Every structure is written in structure tokens, then in C-alpha cells.
């Protein structure tokens, strides 16, 4: 019998321990799948209830015990949202879409440009501004929200003669989102996208590598860590 | 023009959109808010410099909502951050086992973080299945409101950003270290404790810093679900700040609150970074 043949015979031969290990492996997998399914149900549950709630009539919303499936699905709810008096849902919906699109475009453009500028060119104060960029990660929006609000209130007033923000409607969330529009341009994505080539040497004595979720060899978190 | 000068100009130009935004929307407003914090200012009027009065008013307890809202916010963060990070890590570990359909599970876990859903229908339904006649009035009972918000926030955040970052961290743990440990006879727990955990301490640290700041900033959830009530049970610090600024139009006082908050965040982050030196392990770092 050749060596290869004897090896393949060995591979087919299973001791009771091997059989047991195999079943233990299957049991372990079973537990894992059960846990993942349980987690998925936990995470989906409230979501499904909200979905079913959207199809319930007002009376059925307050039925106890709560029902997962509405007795008479009220698909009309979705149309009614748009003509409740005093609720300008279509307008708000459009506002959200505009703000989202604008801030995504703004973020992508300015973050790509900044990442390129920081990673491919040497310029004075670059290292300093990179530290500044990193520290904006931990800057709470609250510190700048009031001046930003004032800016959005007064600058259009000065330029166009009327304000964009109606302060007589107190505390509407729209104001907040208008102000956060510009803030979102300067988010952490700038940091995430700035990846310095190793050949350029470290910034301020350290190198910063940036990670994205699927890469194995880049590093997370992006701040000063190792000398690679 | 010399190549060196061209490079200098190109660097500034490419970075200029960010620089412009930074000075216009971050640095400028920061300076302005520092100035406003020393003034009495209602929108429409002129700021009157009043020195440290705003800070005294807040810290001395003359504003009787300041310390309670601060305490509530810190309490919220103290509960949310450890539990949130622990559960996110567990979820990430579960999804890192090479199961079939991992991407489906990952999507399902991530879904809640896309939307806040202050809806307790599902939990009340579960309680009813367990024989409870009437579910608790989650958000309208003062003693239940804060834990309820924590529950919603946990549900929304466990499968969110922190979990994704943990997944990235777990995938960067070299397989060969695991295999070597397994050959040496380490069981699954020992491999996790002595191989995985030290190697993902930078990820834990990152999530800790970001998580603490995010928890202290709790705002949208309370506005949506409770507006700070019932009886101020969910009146968080940022709600206090927001109401002072945009309901009472006390812009000067609200700026002082913002700076107190900022200093708290800076202090906590600083302590965190100092503390991290004793437990965060960087591969290939001579400090380790």
C-alpha cells in the first residue's frame, strides 16, 4: 500500500471521538443559528409592530392585548398622511430628501478632496490641521449650534431681506435639521477617508492608517496607534 | 514654478473645501459661542456682557434643572455605554462565526439603527404572551420613562455602528494566532480572552470614546418619545440646552451650557485617553 493510499484510508476511518467531535460541532452551529435567529427576531419585532401599526385604524391601535396583524388592514393610512390639515407632510418629506441629497453630495465632494489633499501632498500646517480634523471627531455639535442658528437666521436676512428660519414657530425640528445640514458636511468621514501612503512617512511622528469595513490589513481606529 | 511650490498649492487647494467649512461652521461658531456664553442675549437684541454670571447661574444651582439634568444624562451614559458596547461586541462575535446567511442577519441587526421606533407594542405583546394582563405604561410613568428610553436606545444601537466597527476589528485578528492557540490546547473562551480580546482593545477604546460622547448627547430620542417628561424624568442635558436656546431664547445662557458640556466631553475624553494607556494594546507598538 502506498503512502497516499494509507493516508486516504486514515482520513476515512473515524474514531468514536471524531464522531462525537463532529456532532458537537453540529450542535454548536445549531446554537449559533438559534442565537442569531433570536437576535433577528428581537431586532425585527418592534419594527414589524410599527409596520403593522401603520395599517391599523386609530381604534385598533389601542386594543389590548396588542395584535400583530390588523383585523382590517387600513392601507388608506398611507394616503391620509398627506392630507391631514395643518400637517404639511409632503413638504417635510421633500425637505428631508433635499437635505439628505445635498449633505451626501457635500460630504462626498469635500471629504474626497480633503482626504486627497491630506494624503498626497506635503504642505505647511498640514500636520497641524490633520490633528484639528481628528479632534473634530469628539466635538459635540451643541457647542456650535447656537451661532450656527444665528448665522442661518441673520445672514439670509442681510443678503435677501428675509430670514430662512421662522423663529415665530418655536422649536420646530426643521430648524435643527437646517442647521445640521452644513455640519454634516464636516463629519468623521473626512477622517475615515484620509489614508496616508506609508511611503510619505509619519505625520507628527506617527502614522495614521484608515480602515474600511471590509479590509483586513488596514487599521481601525484611525487615530495615532502604531508605527507600521 | 518649482514642483515643491506646486505641491504646496495643490495641498491647500484640495483641502480648502474642508478648511472653509471648518472655519465657517466649526471654528467661527465655537469662538462666537464662547463669547455669547459671557453675555445675556435674546435673539433680536444685542448681547450684553455679564461676565461669568451664566456659569454661576448654572453651577450654583440657581437653575434648578441644571444639576438634575446633568445627573440624569450621566446616569444614562453610565448604563448605556457598558451594556451597549458589551452587547454590540457579542452581536459582532456572533456574526463573525462564518455562519451561512451572515449578511442577512447583519442587515436585520443593523435595521433598527436606521430608525428610532418608540413603540412598545412588541414588548407589551410579549408580556401578554407571558400572562401579564396589561403592559406597563412605558413612557408616561416617571419611574419607567428613563429605563424605557434606554431600552429603545439599546435596541436601536446594538446592531448599529459599534457592531460594524467591532466586526471590522474582529476580522483584523490574524487567523494564525487563533490556530496557534488552538494547537496549544486553548479552548474557545481562552482563545477569546487571550487572543481576540487584547487585539481588539483599540476597537473597544474607539467605541468607548465615541459611545460616551454619543450617550451624553442623547437628545432626538427624548424629544421624539417624551419631550423630557413625564415630570422631567427624561429631561436630559441637551434638552435643557435646546429649550433654553430655542424655547426661552436665552441664547447667552444656552451657550454657557454648551461650553460646560464641551468641557465635560473634553475632560472625559482626556481621562479616557490617559486610562487607555493601561489597557489598550497596539500591535507593534513599543509602548505595549
Amino acid at each position: 500500500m502506498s503512502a497516499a493510499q494509507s493516508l486516504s484510508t486514515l482520513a476515512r476511518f473515524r474514531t468514536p471521538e471524531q464522531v462525537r467531535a463532529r456532532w458537537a460541532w453540529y450542535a454548536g452551529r445549531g446554537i449559533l443559528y438559534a442565537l442569531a435567529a433570536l437576535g433577528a427576531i428581537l431586532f425585527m419585532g418592534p419594527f414589524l409592530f410599527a409596520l403593522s401599526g401603520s395599517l391599523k385604524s386609530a381604534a385598533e391601535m389601542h386594543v389590548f392585548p396588542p395584535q400583530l396583524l390588523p383585523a382590517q388592514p387600513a392601507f388608506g393610512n398611507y394616503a391620509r398622511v398627506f392630507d391631514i390639515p395643518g400637517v404639511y407632510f409632503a413638504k417635510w418629506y421633500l425637505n428631508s430628501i433635499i437635505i439628505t441629497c445635498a449633505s451626501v453630495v457635500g460630504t462626498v465632494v469635500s471629504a474626497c478632496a480633503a482626504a486627497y489633499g491630506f494624503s498626497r501632498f506635503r504642505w505647511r500646517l498640514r500636520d497641524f490641521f490633520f490633528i484639528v480634523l481628528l479632534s473634530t471627531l469628539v466635538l459635540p455639535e451643541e457647542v456650535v449650534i447656537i451661532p450656527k442658528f444665528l448665522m442661518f437666521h441673520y445672514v439670509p436676512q442681510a443678503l435677501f431681506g428675509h430670514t430662512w428660519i421662522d423663529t415665530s414657530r418655536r422649536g420646530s425640528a426643521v430648524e435643527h435639521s437646517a442647521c445640521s445640514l452644513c455640519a454634516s458636511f464636516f463629519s468623521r468621514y473626512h477622517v475615515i477617508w484620509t489614508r496616508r501612503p506609508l511611503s510619505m512617512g509619519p505625520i507628527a511622528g506617527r502614522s495614521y492608517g484608515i480602515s474600511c469595513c471590509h479590509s483586513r490589513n488596514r487599521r481601525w481606529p484611525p487615530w495615532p496607534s502604531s508605527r507600521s | 514654478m518649482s514642483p515643491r511650490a506646486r505641491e504646496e498649492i495643490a495641498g491647500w487647494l484640495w483641502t480648502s473645501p474642508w478648511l472653509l467649512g471648518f472655519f465657517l461652521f466649526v471654528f467661527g461658531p465655537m469662538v462666537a459661542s464662547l463669547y455669547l456664553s459671557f453675555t445675556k442675549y435674546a435673539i433680536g437684541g444685542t448681547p450684553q456682557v455679564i461676565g461669568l454670571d451664566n456659569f454661576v447661574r448654572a453651577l450654583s444651582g440657581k437653575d434648578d434643572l441644571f444639576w438634575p439634568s446633568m445627573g440624569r444624562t450621566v446616569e444614562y451614559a453610565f448604563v448605556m455605554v457598558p451594556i451597549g458596547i458589551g452587547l454590540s461586541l457579542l452581536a459582532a462575535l456572533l456574526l463573525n462565526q462564518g455562519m451561512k446567511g451572515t449578511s442577512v442577519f447583519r442587515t436585520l441587526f443593523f435595521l433598527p439603527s436606521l430608525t428610532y421606533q418608540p413603540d412598545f407594542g412588541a414588548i407589551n405583546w410579549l408580556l401578554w404572551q407571558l400572562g401579564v394582563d396589561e403592559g406597563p405604561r412605558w413612557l408616561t410613568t416617571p419611574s419607567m420613562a428613563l429605563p424605557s428610553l434606554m431600552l429603545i436606545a439599546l435596541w436601536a444601537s446594538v446592531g448599529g455602528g459599534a457592531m460594524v466597527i467591532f466586526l471590522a476589528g474582529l476580522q483584523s485578528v490574524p487567523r494564525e494566532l487563533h490556530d496557534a492557540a488552538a494547537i496549544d490546547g486553548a479552548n474557545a473562551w481562552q482563545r477569546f480572552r487571550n487572543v481576540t480580546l487584547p487585539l481588539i482593545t483599540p476597537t473597544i477604546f474607539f467605541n468607548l470614546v465615541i459611545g460616551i460622547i454619543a450617550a451624553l448627547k442623547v437628545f432626538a430620542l427624548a424629544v421624539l418619545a417624551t419631550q423630557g417628561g413625564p415630570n422631567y424624568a427624561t429631561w436630559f442635558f441637551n434638552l435643557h440646552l435646546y429649550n433654553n436656546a430655542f424655547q426661552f431664547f436665552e441664547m447667552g445662557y444656552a451657550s454657557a451650557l454648551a461650553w460646560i458640556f464641551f468641557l465635560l466631553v473634553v475632560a472625559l475624553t482626556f481621562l479616557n485617553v490617559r486610562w487607555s494607556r493601561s489597557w489598550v494594546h497596539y500591535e507593534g507598538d513599543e509602548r505595549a
Side-chain angles (χ1 to χ4, degrees), chain B residues 127-168:
Chain B
L127 287 176
W128 180 73
Q129 295 284 326
L130 295 173
V132 180
D133 277 341
E134 179 121 359
R137 299 185 190 286
W138 294 94
L139 293 171
T140 49
T141 315
S143 60
M144 291 291 295
L146 187 59
S148 301
L149 283 194
M150 289 174 179
L151 208 60
I152 301 176
L154 273 180
W155 172 76
S157 65
V158 161
M163 185 191 80
V164 174
I165 293 171
F166 271 132
L167 273 172

Side-chain angles (χ1 to χ4, degrees), chain A residues 29 33 42-43 64-66 113 116 122-124 132-133 142-143 147 149 154 170-171 186 206 220-221 223 227, chain B residues 7-8 11-12 14-15 18 21-22 29 33 44 97 100 125 128 133 135 155 165 206 238 246-247 286-287:
Chain A
R29 286 274 114 170
Y33 278 101
L42 273 180
F43 283 113
F64 199 91
Y116 190 53
R122 276 163 298 170
W123 41 283
R124 277 193 306 154
V132 171
L133 177 73
E142 287 66 30
V143 188
F149 172 83
Y154 284 118
R170 293 183 162 204
F186 307 101
R206 287 234 163 84
W220 190 274
W223 35 55
R227 292 158 198 274
Chain B
E7 187 174 348
E8 179 83 26
W12 281 100
W14 279 109
T15 325
W18 175 76
F22 172 75
S33 111
Q97 301 299 318
K100 288 207 173 75
W125 182 76
W128 180 73
D133 277 341
W155 172 76
I165 293 171
F206 180 82
N238 267 348
F246 299 109
Q247 297 286 331
E286 67 275 21
R287 268 195 332 228

